């Protein structure tokens, strides 16, 4: 089980004032934790540090009890879903979803089985041979989520995954994320958004990131999205 622990985590870019200051935080295994806060307060930076896409300036990051400060992103058991999908344009949906497992050396038959299963859950079965440019925004984001799920990560990171979708798709994809969390509920999830409704409907716990410091919200009760 992969809980996440941050101890006195700071981040500064170059010589600038720190973007993240002394964040202490424990996210339990299986917990769905949502970070809210204004644009520029450091939400993406925090996620990227957990993912290993950004160095930690000082402090300690542990995942599943292991120190992760210097561990390569692919070795952290973390999968991240971005606002901009970040799919490979020259690869089909199946190839996009298979790529991480191929890198990890997973046997071909197992990759096929896992991708088929994720495609079924996300209703992408009929789109597996298409390239991203032939998909709608909502379909692209489902592929990005599928690509993360097939790796069965201990930690799931979402960086404003619904921001580029129209209102109807935003609601639908939000329900899908909640459902996936229930079904694959062992994963610790950190989800960043500036949308209050998303936060309220998905979170076990809502944290406000206030100019670089995490503040626990009072009375943040999950309304749905938890079993
Ligand atoms: P949020 O996700 O809350 O909008 P970010 O983590 O993207 O916030 O950014 C926090 C602050 O760090 C912003 O002031 C941003 O300009 C700055 N920042 C983010 N990435 C970099 C970078 N690579 N180099 C310098 N400054 C950065
Ligand atoms: P968001 O607000 O959705 O988090 P941004 O537009 O702030 O995204 O940032 C997009 C990318 O640019 C991120 O990878 C971030 O690290 C980088 N970035 C943001 N601000 C700066 C900056 N001041 N200097 C360099 N890179 C930055």
């Amino acid at each position: 089980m992969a809980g996440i622990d941050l101890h006195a985590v700071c981040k500064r870019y170059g010589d600038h004032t720190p973007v993240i200051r002394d964040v202490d935080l424990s996210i339990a295994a299986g917990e769905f934790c949502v970070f809210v806060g204004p644009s520029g307060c450091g939400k993406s930076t925090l996620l990227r540090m957990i993912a290993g896409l950004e160095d930690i300036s000082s402090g300690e990051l542990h995942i599943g009890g292991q120190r992760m400060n210097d561990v390569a992103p692919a070795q952290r058991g973390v999968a991240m879903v971005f606002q901009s999908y970040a799919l490979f344009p020259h690869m089909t949906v199946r190839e996009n979803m298979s790529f991480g497992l191929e890198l990890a050396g997973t046997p071909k038959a197992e990759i096929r089985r896992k991708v088929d299963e994720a495609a079924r859950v996300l209703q992408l079965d009929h789109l597996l041979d298409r390239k991203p440019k032939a998909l709608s925004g909502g379909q692209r984001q489902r592929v990005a989520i599928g690509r993360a799920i097939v790796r069965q990560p201990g930690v799931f990171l979402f960086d404003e995954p619904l921001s580029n979708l129209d209102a109807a798709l935003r609601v639908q994809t939000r329900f899908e994320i909640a459902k996936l969390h229930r079904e694959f509920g062992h994963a610790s999830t950190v989800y960043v958004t500036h949308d209050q409704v998303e936060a309220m409907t998905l979170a076990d716990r809502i944290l406000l990131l206030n100019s670089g410091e995490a503040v626990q919200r009072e009375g943040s009760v999950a309304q749905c999205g938890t079993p």
Side-chain angles (χ1 to χ4, degrees):
M1 298 295 262
I4 308 167
D5 290 288
L6 293 96
H7 298 294
V9 166
C10 296
K11 175 69 185 179
R12 61 168 75 232
Y13 289 106
D15 296 332
H16 299 282
T17 47
V19 178
I20 297 290
R21 279 193 304 275
D22 272 337
V23 167
D24 280 303
L25 181 65
S26 284
I27 297 164
E31 187 177 13
F32 199 120
C33 187
V34 177
F35 270 95
V36 294
S39 185
C41 72
K43 302 185 297 297
S44 281
T45 298
L46 193 66
L47 279 191
R48 293 164 61 84
M49 286 194 291
I50 296 171
L53 303 176
E54 202 74 73
D55 286 337
I56 295 171
S57 302
S58 63
E60 296 281 319
L61 168 68
H62 290 78
I63 296 176
Q66 299 211 16
R67 187 173 188 273
M68 288 288 163
N69 289 49
D70 307 313
V71 174
Q75 261 73 59
R76 293 187 183 201
V78 166
M80 185 153 166
V81 175
F82 300 88
Q83 179 181 341
S84 55
Y85 321 130
L87 301 176
F88 296 111
H90 58 290
M91 292 185 189
T92 64
V93 168
R94 179 181 290 283
E95 287 163 351
N96 264 285
M97 287 171 66
S98 304
F99 186 69
L101 292 174
E102 280 166 7
L103 279 188
T106 308
K108 276 203 161 37
E110 191 180 334
I111 294 178
R112 205 171 172 83
R113 188 176 53 71
K114 285 183 168 165
V115 170
D116 286 344
E117 166 70 7
R120 191 186 54 72
V121 173
L122 291 163
Q123 296 166 44
L124 292 167
D125 342 38
H126 58 301
L127 302 172
L128 282 167
D129 294 326
R130 291 208 194 166
K131 297 214 169 137
K133 68 173 184 308
L135 302 176
S136 69
Q139 290 166 341
R140 285 179 203 177
Q141 194 54 297
R142 295 216 299 280
V143 176
I145 292 168
R147 184 178 56 178
I149 287 171
V150 294
R151 293 174 48 211
Q152 295 173 297
V155 171
F156 243 125
L157 306 174
F158 289 93
D159 193 356
E160 306 216 14
L162 309 184
S163 299
N164 286 340
L165 305 180
D166 66 35
L169 267 177
R170 215 154 40 222
V171 172
Q172 187 195 331
T173 311
R174 199 179 78 213
F175 279 119
E176 267 165 21
I177 290 172
K179 181 165 149 251
L180 288 169
H181 184 66
R182 285 196 301 273
E183 288 180 13
F184 298 81
H186 60 285
S188 307
T189 302
V190 188
Y191 186 105
V192 159
T193 182
H194 55 255
D195 184 303
Q196 300 284 335
V197 176
E198 261 172 70
M200 292 298 286
T201 51
L202 288 169
D204 295 323
R205 178 159 54 131
I206 302 175
L207 291 155
L208 175 64
L209 195 62
N210 200 352
S211 53
E213 286 169 48
V215 181
Q216 173 109 43
R217 277 259 172 112
E218 298 297 325
S220 57
V221 181
Q223 301 187 327
C224 69
T226 49

